[in-house]
């Protein structure tokens, strides 16, 4: 293994969003990359690569890693919420190769802007992962397992949850035959503002102004699920101010 | 009034975010504009303008309009949630001049991109408001009171609520000494995706994947308010999928 100069051959195990995007960008970078499903019979030749990327659901990472019982390759997972030590004893060189981005199979994006968060169990592995990551993206960060956990948690609040709220917003407008894009400048400006201010300092809307009759009117037009979200978030906005 | 060619003199009543921005852009456009606080003694000369803009909290709009008891000027309010008929009988020409944007006093922005939603009680008023609006912005929409209500409600879900979630996200990262900007590409991509897809179709994160142990770990690290938001939104994401 000490002969390895840089990572050139890669097996990706998984068939989800991350596997799709890693395969896509590595293939574009002319790397020798192959993608195999975790449920397939993984062949010995797939395991004799410089790097094996386990890109499966968190709860089966350890199970897949055990199946591989790899001896020589660098072994990484791609999870935001799984500790690096989950791969301990599955290889002497292991780490994490986590893309801090919302990835959807088939939807290409500028991968050079995807923050890649890497972690490794030793210097040898770290250098190799870093070198590979820098080929794929201009945003490479060394992030510990503990930091990565909080990053992932912060991403749930900054992306997964807002995405659902955007869905509700679109649904509300569609009912009144109003195109969703009328609201895009407002969304863009909201994003621009949070990049330069503490969001709590620039909160707007009926909750922060405690306009109770507007909030009551709003709630009267929402379905049960929408109303529950409206109530919780409005209350939290009001509480935060106190 | 039938002699009025275009709106040239304006009084803005209010001292909030909308009043500040309208004053700012109208002043830049060399209009004869003056801003007075609703609590001040509004002088007769302030009321003899082509247009009077009531930019105060929703619940005091009618009260301020009654105080004005205006006879000739076009009278508008700027509220997302207040029906145009609130101004009925306060002037023969009345309407709405609603900026669909999150505006913060002192934070300038490209006003030409602010959607202005106008409504009027007659054709005369509509034409004059439209002409003024088009001087200020390239995005002018005729929107009924009913549509405006839903626009405002949709904006709460698309902007006010996500803003609070961004605040929590920043708070979580700050605790671990992780700069908030590491997550900006993820936020940008989330926004880019919702502009071209139905958000519900591209939902990502632990809730949609029903990764219960990750969600339990996340919740264990949140404070009470954060956890409550996490639970409600995760449940709604799971429900929406069914």
């Amino acid at each position: 293994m000490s002969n390895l100069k840089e990572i050139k051959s890669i097996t990706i195990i998984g068939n989800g969003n991350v596997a799709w995007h890693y395969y896509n960008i590595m293939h574009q970078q002319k790397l020798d990359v192959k993608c195999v499903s975790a449920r397939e019979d993984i062949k010995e030749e797939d395991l004799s690569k410089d790097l094996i990327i386990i890109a499966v659901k968190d709860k089966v990472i350890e199970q897949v890693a055990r199946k591989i019982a790899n001896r020589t390759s660098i072994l990484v997972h791609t999870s935001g919420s799984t500790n690096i030590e989950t791969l301990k004893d599955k290889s002497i060189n292991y780490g994490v190769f986590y893309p801090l981005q919302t990835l959807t199979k088939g939807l290409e994006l500028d991968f050079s802007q995807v923050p890649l968060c890497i972690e490794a169990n030793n210097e040898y592995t770290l250098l190799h992962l870093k070198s590979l990551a820098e080929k794929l993206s201009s945003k490479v960060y060394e992030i510990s397992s503990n930091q990565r956990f909080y990053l992932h948690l912060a991403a749930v609040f900054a992306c997964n949850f807002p995405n659902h709220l955007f869905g509700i917003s679109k649904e509300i407008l569609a009912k009144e035959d109003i195109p969703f894009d009328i609201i895009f400048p407002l969304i863009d400006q909201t994003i621009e503002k949070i990049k330069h201010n503490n969001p709590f300092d620039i909160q707007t809307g009926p909750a922060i102004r405690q306009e109770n009759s507007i909030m009551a009117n709003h709630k009267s037009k929402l379905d049960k699920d929408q109303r529950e979200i409206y109530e919780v978030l409005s209350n939290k906005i009001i509480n935060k101010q106190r």
Side-chain angles (χ1 to χ4, degrees), chain A:
Chain A
M1 274 305 279
S2 54
N3 292 333
L4 179 59
K5 290 282 185 289
E6 56 180 328
I7 293 169
K8 283 185 176 160
S9 64
I10 300 147
T11 293
I12 301 170
I13 301 171
N15 55 8
N17 296 324
V18 172
W20 190 91
H21 277 273
Y22 274 164
Y23 177 82
N24 198 40
I25 184 64
M26 288 172 183
H27 184 72
Q28 280 173 26
Q29 293 290 325
K30 315 274 183 219
L31 290 158
D32 168 18
V33 59
K34 184 179 169 184
C35 206
V36 297
S37 159
R39 284 185 215 97
E40 284 173 39
D41 237 5
I42 298 165
K43 298 190 188 86
E44 184 58 33
E45 63 179 57
D46 298 328
L47 301 179
S48 61
K49 302 293 174 69
D50 300 336
L51 172 68
I52 297 172
I53 299 177
I54 301 179
V56 298
K57 282 191 182 185
D58 289 32
K59 59 183 171 193
V60 286
I61 289 173
E62 188 164 13
Q63 184 186 320
V64 170
R66 233 182 286 124
K67 229 167 69 174
I68 294 170
N70 188 259
R71 293 125 300 195
T72 53
S73 312
I74 294 176
L75 183 67
V76 296
H77 72 64
T78 63
S79 159
S81 301
T82 304
N83 198 289
I84 186 175
E85 295 307 322
T86 304
L87 300 182
K88 197 181 172 181
D89 300 330
K90 276 78 175 185
S91 174
I92 46 165
N93 301 304
Y94 57 94
V96 181
F97 210 75
Y98 169 59
L100 181 60
Q101 186 52 282
T102 164
L103 301 170
T104 302
K105 242 193 257 195
L107 280 186
E108 275 200 63
L109 78 173
D110 178 3
F111 208 90
S112 73
Q113 296 306 304
V114 174
L116 291 178
C117 302
I118 59 173
E119 185 181 5
N121 76 314
N122 58 37
E123 195 65 17
Y124 168 88
T125 304
L126 183 66
L127 288 175
H128 282 81
L129 291 180
K130 200 171 175 186
S131 160
L132 174 66
E134 284 169 351
K135 276 187 201 166
L136 310 177
S137 170
S138 64
K139 295 180 188 293
V140 178
Y141 299 88
E142 282 177 49
I143 292 285
S144 71
S145 284
N146 183 59
Q147 285 180 313
R148 190 159 29 80
F149 174 88
Y150 284 99
L151 249 184
H152 186 228
L153 179 53
V156 169
F157 277 91
C159 299
N160 301 154
F161 290 165
N163 182 75
H164 184 73
L165 299 176
F166 294 135
I168 293 174
S169 181
K170 181 172 181 154
E171 204 169 47
I172 290 169
L173 293 174
K175 261 197 187 169
E176 304 300 316
D177 293 320
I178 305 170
F180 190 35
D181 61 11
I182 193 175
I183 218 166
F184 289 175
L186 183 51
I187 293 174
D188 290 339
Q189 180 64 9
T190 302
I191 302 306
E192 188 56 28
K193 281 166 80 173
I194 59 113
K195 288 182 178 176
H196 302 102
N197 300 274
N198 185 333
F200 294 139
D201 295 340
I202 53 162
Q203 183 68 52
T204 57
I208 195 85
R209 291 194 298 267
Q210 303 207 30
E211 296 174 325
N212 294 324
S213 74
I214 294 182
M215 289 192 276
N217 282 341
H218 279 173
K219 283 188 270 184
S220 73
K221 302 294 186 184
L222 296 172
D223 71 26
K224 190 175 159 291
D225 281 340
Q226 294 167 342
R227 189 163 52 245
E228 208 179 318
I229 293 173
Y230 191 99
E231 280 171 354
V232 167
L233 284 168
S234 295
N235 287 338
K236 297 312 175 195
I237 289 169
I238 294 168
N239 285 346
K240 195 75 195 176
Q241 192 185 16
R242 278 172 190 158

